[in-house]
Amino acid sequence: MASWLERQFKLKEVGSDVKTEVMAGITTFMTMGYIIFVNPGILSKTGMPFGPLMVATCLASALATLLMALMANYPIALSSGMGLNAFFAFSVVLGMNIPWEVALAAIFVEGLLFIVLTLTKVREAIVNSIPKSLKISISTGIGFFIALIGLEGSGIVVDNPATLVGLGNLASKPVILTIIGFVIMMALEAHRVKGAILWGILAVTAIAVPMGVASMPEGIVSMPPSIAPIFMKMDFSQLANGTFWIIVFTFFFVDFFDTVGTLVGVTNRAGLLDDKGNLPRARNALMADAIGTTCGAVLGTSTITSFVESASGVEQGGRTGLTALVTSVLFLLAIFFSPIVSIVPACATAPALIMVGVYMMMSLKDLDFDSYTDVIPAAIAIFIMPFTYSIANGIEFGILTFVILKFAAGKKNEISPVMWGLFVIFILKEIFV
């Protein structure tokens, strides 16, 4: 087994080992495990049954993450994308009165388009054409975005009608537990303890039970419900309808750049980009995402995409697909051990996300602050991601600013044809969509 793992994942080549990768895989699963219950909770608003949705979420996540592990050898986990599932439920199905079966068909078509573009190397060309300054900003912007998710999930940052955001109740139990978890993780990291984030999550979960924030599971094992009510239920009767293709394009656009941003940001932080700043095996990684989306629609869940929470595993030393393989196996086990998975409260994973935000912002040290034509687009991308709650928006406005500023500064030679193409696409998107 050890020799197979070495041959498959090339652990020594990247300076990793089995123990580190396993810990990283568990950490990634713990920080994104919420999707097992949150995704069905959102999609069930459409009338789809919760139980089958939970199973479909786990199966689609396990399959796509396994493909990422074996095809691309990257420590990236995939699941039903947050935001995309809300668009599916509230905008498409409930807002536009589109049957969920038709919405699943739109996602299936989106996945097929991704497969075609990946085979023709279009997606790979876009990933590798993003300039270094924007790749750094994507890592940093994702860091701020992840930190905001953690701060919001813990209750430290709350909605404020007067100022948009405000400080939550610091005396509340979830906030106190989040702070305790953050202190534990910081202390363990300061002492270079491997798996600091994972140990912090487990410690907070253990403390949360007697405090009444989390409850002991009613059991350990539960048999999963059948996915028959949502399996292979795509309805392609609206293919000739223009609205159907608007839905496909919206899913396509957001998923495309969320995936690109996550792959670039996380692999940049992990030091996996080559000397030219390109992503090796980008085509394989993007194909795993494309197949995952297509299969997810067949299983009955919304768009599958790379998860920014994968950065938590990277920060724990995950550098290969073995990290993703471990996460994939845990998603499969979660189908049967959902009572245990469900006891981890948001206040246990929130400090992990904040810690990851700290790690990700360290990428800024590689940015050339003496070049305003690089710094300003990078800053715009960083600002937009957390404040619009979208990686895709950050990439879009970062690229628009980059092209405009380079052109205005007389540095047209630094704008690649792909960047010009993206510039035109983004302008058209803002005008017509």
Side-chain angles (χ1 to χ4, degrees), residues 101-102 104-106 108-109 112 233-240 244:
E101 294 90 345
V102 174
L104 284 178
F108 183 82
V109 171
L112 293 181
K233 297 298 182 180
M234 298 93 70
D235 178 2
F236 296 97
S237 63
Q238 301 298 312
L239 275 174
F244 178 86

Side-chain angles (χ1 to χ4, degrees), residues 48 63 82 160 187 243 277 320 339 365:
M48 301 172 76
L63 173 62
M82 291 296 293
N160 186 317
T243 301
T320 75
K365 64 181 175 59

